[in-house]
Amino acid sequence: AQNVPNSDWEKKVTEYFKEKLKENNATNWVPSLNDVPVHYLKPNSLVKFRCMVQDMFDPEFYMGVYETVDPNTNARVLHFGKYRDVAECGEIDLNSSQTVTSERQTFYCVPVPGESAWVKEISFLTELVLSRVSPSTSYTPSRHKRSYEEDEDMDLHPSKQKEQHMGNSSGGDIHGCVEPKRLETEASAGHHLISPNCSPPLDLNFPLPGEKGPACLVKVYESWDSFKVNDVLEVYGILSVDPVLSIVNNEERDNSALDPMECMDTAEEQRVHSPPASLVPRIHVILAQKLQHINPLLPACLNEEESKTFVSNFMSELSPVRAELLGFLTHALLGDSLAAEYLILHLISTVYARRDVLPLGKFTVNLSGCPRNSIFTEHIYRIIQQLVPASYRLQMTIENMNHSRFIPHKDYAANRLVSGVLQLASNTSLVVDETQLEQGQLDTTGVHNVTALGNLITWQKVDYDFNYHQMEFPCNINVLITSEGRSLLPSDCQVHLQPQIIPPNMEEYMNSLLTAVLPSVLNKFRIYLSLLRLLDYSISDEVTKAVEEDFVEMRKNDPESITADDLHRTLLVARFLSLSAGQTTLSRERWLRAKQLEALRKARLQQQKCVNGNEL
């Protein structure tokens, strides 16, 4: 209101919020759609949302500046259309010379797939403590008041009354209800939402089955080229849940049925791109940032001065944390300390660069020797789930392979990207449980799914299906394969499990492991694994030369025993071994330790081969 058109008021808005959010704990004062049901949040208020970009819609045009005319007095008033879906009251002069058409991009965003429960809990508790107010109750009164205002409006607009009645039947009564039905946050991909305005069910398009949380249409006004599908973002913006959106879209659908020439979009496309705001709220973005990680125990950006202090303090006590984590994982792996060492290296691995098509830094581990059809693999996954911010357990059954949708594909009728299990955010831990595999026949879908899984492991990419062509989407997914024998899938490193203890009651043993760990120690493990993934690493020329000489020497002694692949793997082990000890350069000692670990691992595989008489 204080600015005239063509001024730089938009920059001032962004700068204002940027500065305000830098103030002490200000980000924790902003209510989050990840934690608070949308019907508790005040419409047109500032909210935040931690999400993954699942799809990008076509850019849309809106009236950046428009003029309204008062029918009684003919008075003209200019309005700004940014950060809103519905124009302010008044009769709009569509022929006004003052009208400015602007452009914005819409992203379809979902909560981070496979996000661990502890990430949600710690984020919510931090906000609760630091904001000193419960967001879930602070906005209830304004919603009461709003409903009374709407009551008056009902007499003037019977269509709204019908809409309100239908909306209430789907959303549940929020008045006097302590735990309202959370349609927005409790919707799972397996259970489609029935929207009051659409006869077919509304699919929220979550990549993983059983996911919960709101999907949002995120409207971006600037620098949208810097974001891409599968990016993880934290957005701050204006919440728009105007019921008028549902009515308008419903009327558009009805009208387009009468006159197909009026609207180029199909009914299916309109339904997907303009879902009811009560189910898929809109966020008009003021600030958006890509997240390096989603661990709430770590500073969001590690380059800032305060963050550097946090990192240096944690690095000073790294050694005991590593020792405790190694002990914890050794117990989880039934006393096998070598497998525990490799599991730590796997959990801190990450793709740090790409040479042509080759992803460098990926470290897929095949943990073979797992008991068949046992609850062991399920519990190993539960432990990993407690340590990493995002994970998913893929049970490799014939049923799952043949009937699951792994690869995202383009639906041209609805003009959207239909998600699949392999549409995951960077640094997600994917545990493939091959011990579930029975004899059976893979159909065409099953073969495609297994191929896609193999490509993900080998090339760290997923080829999305666009019907007439495939589009390559690079990814950075940590894959751990648990199997009885050697896995059918490719891997960088096979470690055969050698249990030192066989607990009489596996369930009891595994459960006692997690209950015995103090929450403060568990949090240190979580910081340790997330932080070490983000550290830089280098090898000095001197050590490079020493490694080359060592390799030549080993080849001289036994040319068959070591190949270029072995050298590459040993260098990877040395890299993650160094980082696991908080060292960002390779030392001679770490190189020798990496060689020792590799020798032990290979000896164990050889021993198993001799016992079984065939290769595992």
Side-chain angles (χ1 to χ4, degrees):
Q2 295 167 6
N3 289 276
V4 292
N6 306 323
S7 72
D8 60 351
W9 70 273
E10 283 132 322
K11 280 183 189 169
K12 287 181 190 171
V13 170
T14 311
E15 288 306 314
Y16 173 83
F17 280 100
K18 227 178 228 174
E19 290 309 310
K20 282 287 178 190
L21 288 168
K22 277 182 190 168
E23 289 174 17
N24 195 24
N25 297 327
T27 53
N28 295 304
W29 283 76
V30 182
S32 168
L33 274 173
N34 300 92
D35 308 321
V36 186
V38 73
H39 48 250
Y40 272 163
L41 293 169
K42 190 177 178 183
N44 303 318
S45 64
L46 184 71
V47 296
K48 66 181 175 187
F49 186 39
R50 185 178 60 256
C51 55
M52 183 186 86
V53 180
Q54 189 276 320
D55 194 6
M56 291 178 164
F57 295 161
D58 295 330
E60 64 181 31
F61 294 100
Y62 69 99
M63 287 191 290
V65 178
Y66 60 95
E67 197 170 30
T68 57
V69 184
D70 189 309
N72 302 321
T73 62
N74 277 341
R76 290 175 167 268
V77 182
L78 274 184
H79 301 271
F80 291 104
K82 199 173 183 180
Y83 306 127
R84 60 173 65 242
D85 285 299
V86 181
E88 291 174 75
C89 295
E91 198 172 295
I92 299 173
D93 179 6
L94 296 173
N95 298 316
S96 167
S97 59
Q98 302 278 6
T99 303
V100 176
T101 303
S102 302
E103 188 182 16
R104 62 190 174 201
Q105 176 66 279
T106 304
F107 298 160
Y108 186 84
C109 294
V110 295
V112 179
E115 187 177 75
S116 300
W118 63 265
V119 172
K120 294 178 173 72
E121 283 162 18
I122 292 172
S123 299
F124 182 55
L125 288 172
T126 307
E127 284 156 21
L128 213 57
V129 170
L130 293 175
S131 65
R132 305 193 305 278
V133 63
S134 168
S136 61
T137 55
S138 56
Y139 291 120
T140 312
S142 63
R143 294 294 295 211
H144 281 286
K145 184 182 173 192
R146 195 165 165 267
S147 64
Y148 300 143
E149 290 167 358
E150 284 169 358
D151 286 344
E152 289 179 4
D153 208 22
M154 293 306 166
D155 301 327
L156 303 171
H157 300 91
S159 63
K160 273 196 186 180
Q161 190 167 354
K162 183 182 174 190
E163 164 66 20
Q164 184 72 17
H165 175 72
M166 293 170 84
N168 278 349
S169 67
S170 73
D173 181 17
I174 64 165
H175 302 298
C177 181
V178 181
E179 278 295 323
K181 290 177 187 173
R182 293 176 59 171
L183 268 193
E184 302 88 327
T185 51
E186 296 301 321
S188 70
H191 301 86
H192 304 302
L193 290 181
I194 305 297
S195 151
N197 299 317
C198 317
S199 47
L202 186 69
D203 177 7
L204 291 183
N205 211 12
F206 294 138
L208 300 178
E211 286 284 273
K212 296 177 179 180
C216 287
L217 287 178
V218 172
K219 314 237 172 179
V220 185
Y221 290 84
E222 55 193 36
S223 309
W224 56 72
D225 291 342
S226 61
F227 303 116
K228 56 188 187 297
V229 168
N230 302 338
D231 276 351
V232 175
L233 313 177
E234 179 132 73
V235 298
Y236 292 83
I238 307 301
L239 177 69
S240 171
V241 285
D242 202 313
V244 173
L245 287 170
S246 305
I247 300 167
V248 168
N249 295 328
N250 213 27
E251 285 174 354
E252 275 181 13
R253 275 194 287 277
D254 294 343
N255 294 340
S256 63
L258 296 172
D259 186 2
M261 297 306 290
E262 283 294 307
C263 182
M264 297 299 287
D265 296 345
T266 63
E268 180 64 17
E269 184 172 348
Q270 281 187 2
R271 193 172 72 85
V272 165
H273 287 239
S274 307
S278 58
L279 301 181
V280 182
R282 280 65 163 161
I283 299 178
H284 293 267
V285 175
I286 295 172
L287 291 171
Q289 57 181 20
K290 277 190 209 177
L291 294 180
Q292 279 184 299
H293 63 86
I294 56 165
N295 188 336
L297 298 164
L298 272 178
C301 183
L302 295 176
N303 301 329
E304 292 167 4
E305 280 309 312
E306 293 170 27
S307 306
K308 285 176 182 172
T309 311
F310 173 89
V311 172
S312 59
N313 289 345
F314 188 81
M315 296 300 272
S316 64
E317 55 178 62
L318 201 71
S319 191
V321 175
R322 188 193 195 282
E324 276 188 273
L325 178 59
L326 183 63
F328 174 67
L329 292 177
T330 300
H331 284 300
L333 294 166
L334 310 177
D336 189 341
S337 59
L338 181 69
E341 280 277 9
Y342 274 93
L343 186 53
I344 289 178
L345 306 186
H346 163 75
L347 290 172
I348 63 169
S349 66
T350 187
V351 176
Y352 61 89
R354 289 178 189 266
R355 292 268 160 78
D356 299 324
V357 294
L358 194 68
L360 305 179
K362 75 181 181 74
F363 195 58
T364 299
V365 170
N366 171 207
L367 187 64
S368 59
C370 296
R372 184 169 180 72
N373 292 331
S374 150
I375 53 167
F376 171 74
T377 48
E378 186 187 330
H379 281 284
I380 287 296
Y381 171 66
R382 279 194 199 163
I383 282 167
I384 288 172
Q385 212 176 12
Q386 286 295 325
L387 297 174
V388 299
S391 61
Y392 181 63
R393 177 178 176 229
L394 179 59
Q395 298 183 61
M396 204 171 166
T397 61
I398 294 290
E399 173 79 11
N400 276 350
M401 292 292 109
N402 287 344
H403 296 103
S404 296
R405 192 171 63 219
F406 279 26
I407 306 162
H409 72 271
K410 181 78 173 181
D411 176 353
Y412 285 96
N415 192 17
R416 73 159 172 181
L417 184 67
V418 178
S419 64
V421 169
L422 298 184
Q423 188 175 9
L424 299 169
S426 268
N427 293 320
T428 301
S429 282
L430 179 63
V431 178
V432 181
D433 189 354
E434 217 179 272
T435 62
Q436 308 277 321
L437 200 58
E438 300 281 349
Q439 281 191 332
Q441 188 70 41
L442 285 176
D443 60 17
T444 311
T445 305
V447 171
H448 282 158
N449 283 340
V450 172
T451 305
L453 209 47
N455 284 340
L456 166 68
I457 292 166
T458 307
W459 308 110
Q460 284 292 317
K461 70 180 177 84
V462 180
D463 294 323
Y464 290 16
D465 181 7
F466 281 75
N467 291 13
Y468 311 108
H469 68 284
Q470 290 187 325
M471 195 176 284
E472 202 174 280
F473 281 76
C475 55
N476 185 2
I477 311 295
N478 283 27
V479 185
L480 174 70
I481 308 160
T482 55
S483 60
E484 193 184 14
R486 183 177 183 169
S487 171
L488 303 172
L489 295 165
S491 67
D492 297 303
C493 182
Q494 184 193 350
V495 181
H496 195 79
L497 189 69
Q498 275 189 356
Q500 304 301 305
I501 42 173
I502 306 292
N505 186 328
M506 185 74 78
E507 180 97 25
E508 207 175 277
Y509 175 82
M510 288 295 199
N511 285 338
S512 66
L513 268 177
L514 278 172
T515 49
V517 183
L518 290 170
S520 59
V521 174
L522 203 50
N523 283 346
K524 282 182 179 176
F525 293 167
R526 291 161 175 168
I527 294 169
Y528 174 89
L529 294 173
S530 293
L531 181 59
L532 296 184
R533 269 182 176 171
L534 300 167
L535 295 183
D536 290 324
Y537 171 86
S538 61
I539 304 178
S540 66
D541 293 343
E542 189 186 338
V543 174
T544 305
K545 195 179 176 194
V547 167
E548 283 172 1
E549 287 169 1
D550 210 356
F551 177 62
V552 170
E553 201 59 39
M554 286 189 288
R555 290 276 294 169
K556 257 187 211 168
N557 297 338
D558 188 357
E560 297 298 311
S561 70
I562 188 156
T563 63
D565 284 345
D566 290 323
L567 173 66
H568 177 69
R569 183 171 44 248
T570 312
L571 280 167
L572 263 185
V573 170
R575 176 191 183 92
F576 298 126
L577 204 55
S578 302
L579 288 171
S580 74
Q583 297 178 1
T584 54
T585 56
L586 179 60
S587 63
R588 179 78 184 155
E589 294 73 36
R590 294 286 157 203
W591 169 248
L592 293 174
R593 175 65 180 146
K595 279 171 59 181
Q596 184 190 11
L597 282 179
E598 276 294 276
L600 287 169
R601 184 186 67 81
K602 285 181 184 173
R604 192 181 279 192
L605 286 178
Q606 195 60 38
Q607 182 189 348
Q608 197 61 33
K609 187 177 170 183
C610 296
V611 169
N612 287 6
N614 63 356
E615 191 179 346
L616 270 175

